[in-house]
Amino acid sequence: MTPDIKTMAMDDLTALVESMGQKPYRARQLNRWIYKKLAQSFDDMTDLPKNLRDKLREKARISNLILCNQQMSKDGTRKFLFQLDDGETIESVLIPNNKGAERYTLCISSQAGCALDCRFCVTGTLGFKRNLHTHEIVDQYLSVRRCIEHDEKNGMTAITNIVFMGMGEPLNNLNEVVQALYILTSRIGLSKRKITLSTAGIVPKIYELAKKGPDINLAISLNATTDAVRSLLMPINRKYPLSKLLQACRDFPLAPRRRITFEYILIEGLNDSKEDALRLTKLLSGIRSKVNLIPFNAAIQTVHLVKMSPDYKKSADDRTHDFQNTLLKSGIATSIRKSMGADISAACGQLKAAYTDRQ
Ligand code: SF4
């Protein structure tokens, strides 16, 4: 199969243009067309000689995601449904940052479907379809930028942050994700400090990420303070229990002033007691951490949750604040995350990439 330009390393791109009798700067031009000027075909690259474009078309290709649908939430969150070459579908979510609508965080997917089956997640009920290729991960960023290009040109928008919190477990697709991370940081120029990879806790891969990846931020979807409750919510915990997961966090090399984020969905009566909060402070001791408390989204009624208890609901506001205060008192930075995009099924755990989402 002809190589995809979007997955080629700079050295390979240079070798390709040199094999066509061109100077190395042509590779830099190609890079700029793909990642800065958002070109979708060789024909778009108007400052490359026509004979070079013809040769490139013979030896390489540029794949593009197909945008099937986009929806806008009343809070400004936008959800994008993309189709891949083989017909699988994925979703990406563009979230306005609190500090102003001109800055956005893009939540991207790393797999079509997911094998981990976390009980609070609609993607988990789809099962695993396949890993995304590097270009399919990066292309979510490029395609969304293309969608907001008009506003971007007027200086109204910029995607400043990327979170790997969409469909799939990124560490179960580590090689492609790491390649995508290098493209996002080195070739596109996004700040490593503004990229976060969130995992359900694939312990050996956390160590592998520390060795192979650029030093982006790590987030752990924690959600419980005992193995019994965590295994109930996240079956992966049976394989990698809390003690192993938190040891991997302690061993994770953190750049100065960085912290690991722990995400914690609060479900009333299940994981939101004073004892849970106190246990959490102990579990996180020795880890530079911050905690994001996420009010449970009662609109997510996965088959599993209904079986476990049809009555799960979001913790009452006073319990949520008590939980937060206990953590704050022990010196752990803790915030309560505002749920965004729930009205278009773009909130945490709601992504399902179904055509039925179309309006
Ligand atoms: S929460 Fe993440 S890891 Fe868990 S099932 Fe959903 S997509 Fe997979």
Side-chain angles (χ1 to χ4, degrees):
M1 195 198 248
T2 47
D4 193 305
I5 288 280
K6 286 178 183 161
T7 56
M8 289 175 78
M10 225 25 225
D11 287 351
D12 297 334
L13 215 49
T14 308
L16 180 72
V17 294
E18 283 181 334
S19 74
M20 295 171 179
Q22 299 287 327
K23 294 265 181 333
Y25 77 90
R26 293 293 188 195
R28 292 195 294 279
Q29 271 182 304
L30 263 171
N31 192 61
R32 209 163 35 245
W33 273 110
I34 297 288
Y35 296 121
K36 301 278 184 220
K37 299 185 185 175
L38 310 174
Q40 288 181 283
S41 73
F42 292 116
D43 291 331
D44 290 343
M45 304 178 181
T46 45
D47 60 0
L48 297 187
K50 180 161 181 321
N51 68 335
L52 174 58
R53 281 184 269 152
D54 291 342
K55 281 185 192 162
L56 282 167
R57 216 177 291 107
E58 278 167 27
K59 299 274 181 205
R61 66 196 175 98
I62 305 175
S63 59
N64 294 291
L65 299 179
I66 300 166
L67 176 66
C68 301
N69 190 30
Q70 58 169 304
Q71 290 172 276
M72 168 84 92
S73 157
K74 53 186 184 227
D75 63 26
T77 300
R78 287 158 80 166
K79 184 169 76 165
F80 301 84
L81 175 70
F82 294 111
Q83 188 176 340
L84 312 176
D85 277 353
D86 58 0
E88 293 295 347
T89 49
I90 53 165
E91 287 177 327
S92 317
V93 180
L94 188 67
I95 307 152
N97 289 358
N98 292 336
K99 288 175 191 141
E102 71 280 3
R103 293 279 177 272
Y104 282 88
T105 294
L106 181 65
C107 174
I108 59 185
S109 297
S110 54
Q111 298 181 313
C114 184
L116 294 199
D117 211 9
C118 302
R119 301 314 199 201
F120 46 78
C121 174
V122 176
T123 308
T125 63
L126 299 174
F128 175 68
K129 305 283 171 48
R130 72 166 171 85
N131 281 331
L132 299 193
H133 301 298
T134 301
H135 64 85
E136 292 165 334
I137 298 171
V138 174
D139 220 16
Q140 293 171 65
Y141 167 83
L142 299 175
S143 302
V144 171
R145 269 195 57 203
R146 212 172 283 121
C147 291
I148 61 173
E149 203 175 12
H150 175 72
D151 294 343
E152 206 179 46
K153 275 190 183 137
N154 295 325
M156 285 162 66
T157 56
I159 300 171
T160 51
N161 295 53
I162 301 273
V163 290
F164 283 75
M165 294 185 188
M167 301 172 71
E169 163 54 61
L171 293 188
N172 276 349
N173 185 17
L174 186 64
N175 290 341
E176 304 287 326
V177 165
V178 163
Q179 270 198 58
L181 286 172
Y182 279 115
I183 291 174
L184 290 167
T185 52
S186 312
R187 308 270 288 275
I188 294 177
L190 291 165
S191 163
K192 287 185 269 188
R193 302 184 69 242
K194 299 208 164 171
I195 299 182
T196 301
L197 181 150
S198 175
T199 175
I202 315 293
V203 169
K205 303 278 181 172
I206 294 176
Y207 288 97
E208 215 178 312
L209 174 70
K211 278 197 200 124
K212 291 186 177 167
D215 58 338
I216 44 119
N217 301 305
L218 180 66
I220 306 287
S221 180
L222 194 68
N223 306 314
T225 60
T226 63
D227 281 321
V229 174
R230 192 162 193 270
S231 296
L232 200 67
L233 288 173
M234 305 177 73
I236 191 67
N237 190 71
R238 292 189 203 119
K239 193 163 181 192
Y240 304 116
L242 281 167
S243 57
K244 292 209 164 99
L245 173 58
L246 294 168
Q247 189 54 49
C249 293
R250 278 189 190 90
D251 295 338
F252 193 77
L254 278 177
R257 293 196 297 281
R258 297 268 198 101
R259 289 179 286 194
I260 295 178
T261 301
F262 292 88
E263 292 144 2
Y264 196 103
I265 300 176
L266 281 170
I267 304 177
E268 186 152 298
L270 184 71
N271 64 1
D272 68 341
S273 67
K274 177 89 177 167
E275 292 70 39
D276 279 304
L278 289 169
R279 248 192 319 266
L280 186 52
T281 64
K282 287 207 182 95
L283 288 173
L284 299 187
S285 81
I287 304 173
R288 292 213 307 270
S289 49
K290 59 181 170 181
V291 173
N292 266 345
L293 298 175
I294 306 168
F296 174 64
N297 182 351
I300 303 177
Q301 285 300 357
T302 65
V303 199
H304 301 306
L305 277 185
V306 173
K307 261 195 226 154
M308 280 161 62
S309 166
D311 298 328
Y312 280 146
K313 58 180 183 198
K314 140 183 190 302
S315 302
D317 287 351
D318 54 345
R319 275 175 88 91
T320 304
H321 286 113
D322 286 350
F323 200 98
Q324 180 186 31
N325 285 334
T326 305
L327 297 178
L328 287 172
K329 271 187 207 146
S330 73
I332 300 171
T334 308
S335 54
I336 300 169
R337 195 200 286 171
K338 197 174 148 212
S339 182
M340 301 288 281
D343 57 323
I344 55 165
S345 298
C348 246
Q350 284 188 303
L351 300 188
K352 61 177 185 283
Y355 282 107
T356 48
D357 271 353
R358 287 185 188 196
Q359 294 298 300

